[in-house]
């Protein structure tokens, strides 16, 4: 059980899809809150929409895997052109596996991209998928998430993003 991401970037804008492709990745299981969309907003920022464009241009497929279930999650998936598995219950494996089925992919072809070690990275590593950590977009988050962030800071230490 590992909390260590395979790749770490400063934001979704700098995630290197060519690097992922070189690792055999063609399917992306992507977190929404604070990865693509700041938690306190419902308007997707330009880098999120640009990411969706890069995914399409790279010939990859993507599915949002969100522990959230509000309307904004559905709107975001629609706007990004991504599939969606809401109420994911990450880090449990079920939603990740459901996402893979939606995309018609297997674990060895998939990467998990997210901002939290204890949900996105832990869950992705447990299933043997490539894991990609990005820094959270907003410091606004749920109280239990803020607590986990303190632990994450300790685990990541002085590790710096690749780009
Ligand atoms: Mg998140």
């Amino acid at each position: 059980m590992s909390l260590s991401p395979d790749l770490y970037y400063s934001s979704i804008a700098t995630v290197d899809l060519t690097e992922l492709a070189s690792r055999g990745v063609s399917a992306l299981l992507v977190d929404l809150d604070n990865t693509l969309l700041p938690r306190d907003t419902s308007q997707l920022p330009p880098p999120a929409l640009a990411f969706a464009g890069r995914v399409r241009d790279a010939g990859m497929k993507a599915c949002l895997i969100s522990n959230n279930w509000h309307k904004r999650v559905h709107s975001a998936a629609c706007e990004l052109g991504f599939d969606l598995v809401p109420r994911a219950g990450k880090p449990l494996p079920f939603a990740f596996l459901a996402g893979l089925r939606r995309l018609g992919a297997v674990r060895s072809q998939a990467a998990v991209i997210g901002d939290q070690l204890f949900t996105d990275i832990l869950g992705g590593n447990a299933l043997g998928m490539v894991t990609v950590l990005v820094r959270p977009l907003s410091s606004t988050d749920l109280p239990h998430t803020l607590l986990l962030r303190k632990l994450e800071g300790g685990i990541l230490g002085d590790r710096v993003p690749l780009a």
Side-chain angles (χ1 to χ4, degrees):
M1 204 172 80
S2 168
L3 286 166
S4 186
D6 294 304
L7 298 163
Y8 177 27
Y9 295 100
S10 54
S11 78
I12 198 75
T14 51
V15 170
D16 184 351
L17 296 180
T18 307
E19 170 63 32
L20 288 174
S22 78
R23 294 177 183 232
V25 169
S26 58
L28 305 175
L29 305 176
V30 191
D31 175 54
L32 180 67
D33 284 308
N34 273 342
T35 295
L36 289 169
L37 182 65
R39 178 168 276 283
D40 42 10
T41 70
S42 56
Q43 184 75 47
L44 283 165
L49 297 168
F51 174 75
R54 290 201 293 130
V55 169
R56 276 192 300 277
D57 291 347
M60 293 180 170
K61 297 169 287 185
C63 181
L64 291 182
I65 308 289
S66 177
N67 280 358
N68 211 323
W69 61 86
H70 297 116
K71 185 172 171 289
R72 63 197 269 287
V73 180
H74 294 269
S75 319
C78 195
E79 199 175 342
L80 291 162
F82 290 174
D83 270 288
L84 169 66
V85 178
R87 293 180 190 275
K90 294 178 285 187
L92 295 176
F94 312 110
F96 292 115
L97 296 172
L100 287 180
R101 282 195 297 276
R102 294 268 171 88
L103 299 180
V106 294
R107 290 186 235 178
S108 60
Q109 301 170 310
V112 175
I113 304 176
D115 70 304
Q116 285 192 258
L117 291 181
F118 293 97
T119 53
D120 308 304
I121 304 307
L122 181 61
N125 283 344
L127 290 172
M129 298 187 280
V130 174
T131 49
V132 182
L133 182 71
V134 296
R135 285 194 166 148
L137 287 174
S138 157
S139 53
T140 303
D141 225 323
L142 300 173
H144 69 270
T145 303
L146 291 174
L147 180 66
L148 288 175
R149 291 230 181 275
K150 292 206 169 126
L151 294 169
E152 288 174 339
I155 291 165
L156 285 171
D158 52 8
R159 190 163 172 171
V160 290
L162 291 164

